[in-house]
Amino acid sequence: LLYERHGEPAAVVQLKDLEVPKLGDCDVHVKMLAAPINPADINMIQGTYPLLSPLPAVGGNEGVGEVLEAGRRVTALKPGDWVIPADAGLGTWRTWGVFPEKMLLKVPSDISVLCAATLSVNPCTAFRVLADFESLVPGDSVIQNAANSGVGQAVIQIARASGIKTINVVRDRPDLPKLVERLMALGADHVITEEMLRKPEMKDIFKSIPRPRLALNCVGGKSTTEMLRHLQPKGTMVTYGGMAKQPVMVPVSAFIFRDVRLRGFWMTQWRKDHVQDQESVAAMMDSLCQLIRRGQLTAPACTEVPLQDYRVALEASMKPFVSSKQILLL
C-alpha cells in the first residue's frame, strides 16, 4: 500500500504491484502475514507526525512476517523465523519485502499472529511507561485515560500480572456497559468515565486502593487536568499521546503543593536511545512474549481485513469510539 503524497489516507493510499528487489548479502526476504493500522500510521500519511518516511512510501510501522530467504551474511535469522520491525518506518502494509537484517527482530512463532503483529508498538509502550518512571510495587495503583486504546488494554494486563491496580478512564458512549465489561475481563480494577473523575464518588475508589503514583495520559485537555487531581503528592504523569489535540493544562497548585512531575514518552525515541543496548530490548520482548504465552497478555480487540479491502479498514480506523484495531491480512 503506497502513498506518493501526504493527505487523507483513503484518498492518497493506493494498492500497487511492485517487483520484489534483489536479495543482498545482509538482507532478508520476508513474506508479511499481518499488519495493524495505528494512529501514528494515519498521522504519517497525513504528514502530521514528527517522523515521516521519504515519499513514495509504503504505509505501516508494525506487523509480523515470515522469513523466506536470508542473504549469505545473515547470521541471526533463517527461513521460517517470524520477524517484526526493529524500528518505525519499515512500511509493513505489503505482501513481500526485502529488508536489511538489522531492521528486524526475531519473535517466537508459538504466539498468535495477531499478538505478534501488534507487539512492537502498544505493548512495548505500555511496558516502558509502567517500568521507567515510578518504581511500582504490588498493591500500588495507576490511573490512565483512553483505557480502551491498544496501549490502555496492554497497561491493564501488564499491571494486573504485576499486582498493580488500575483505574481506567474512558469517554462516555452508547455501548458503555459492554466496554466496561470487556476492560474488567482484561483485569481492570475500576473503569470510569471522564465525567466521573469530577465527582465526589471518586473518594470511594480510594477506600480500597491507594491513590495512584503514576498517571498515563494519551488524551490531553480537560481529561488530563481532572486525572492529575487524583495523583499522589510527588507522583508522575507521563504523556504519550494527545488524542484530544488540546494542551495539557496543569494548575500551579499541583506543582507547588503536591510537587507532581510531568514527563513525556515516545517509543520511537526509546528505541533510538537503546540502539546500542540490545539487552534491554531483548529483555522487554522476552517479558512480553512470556506474558502472552501465559495468557496474561492478549492482542487488542481486532477486526481482520483482507488487504484488498484496505480502504474500509482505513476509514474504520479513523472513526470515533472504535475500540477494535483494524488488522490487514497480507
Side-chain angles (χ1 to χ4, degrees), residues 118-247:
T118 55
L119 182 60
S120 65
V121 177
N122 295 334
C124 290
T125 298
F127 186 90
R128 297 264 56 106
V129 293
L130 285 170
D132 294 353
F133 297 92
E134 287 283 343
S135 307
L136 299 172
V137 296
D140 280 345
S141 79
V142 170
I143 188 167
Q144 65 164 344
N145 55 23
N148 56 311
S149 66
V151 173
Q153 293 176 57
V155 163
I156 290 170
Q157 295 173 85
I158 296 167
R160 179 64 179 268
S162 316
I164 294 158
K165 310 283 184 197
T166 56
I167 303 158
N168 301 281
V169 185
V170 295
R171 287 185 293 177
D172 201 2
R173 64 194 63 216
D175 61 345
L176 184 67
K178 212 152 117 195
L179 176 61
V180 171
E181 193 184 318
R182 202 158 60 72
L183 296 182
M184 296 298 272
L186 287 180
D189 294 283
H190 298 275
V191 182
I192 58 171
T193 61
E194 291 185 341
E195 290 68 33
M196 169 107 179
L197 277 173
R198 293 171 210 129
K199 296 198 169 143
E201 293 91 312
M202 278 298 288
K203 288 195 182 76
D204 297 341
I205 287 179
F206 300 122
K207 284 175 185 161
S208 60
I209 64 174
R211 282 185 178 271
R213 287 171 45 201
L214 181 65
L216 305 175
N217 166 47
C218 108
V219 178
K222 198 182 278 181
S223 159
T224 309
T225 313
E226 298 296 342
M227 198 165 63
L228 197 68
R229 281 185 191 178
H230 303 293
L231 202 58
Q232 271 190 36
K234 297 191 188 298
T236 304
M237 184 167 79
V238 180
T239 293
Y240 66 92
M243 288 161 83
K245 296 189 167 58
Q246 290 166 349

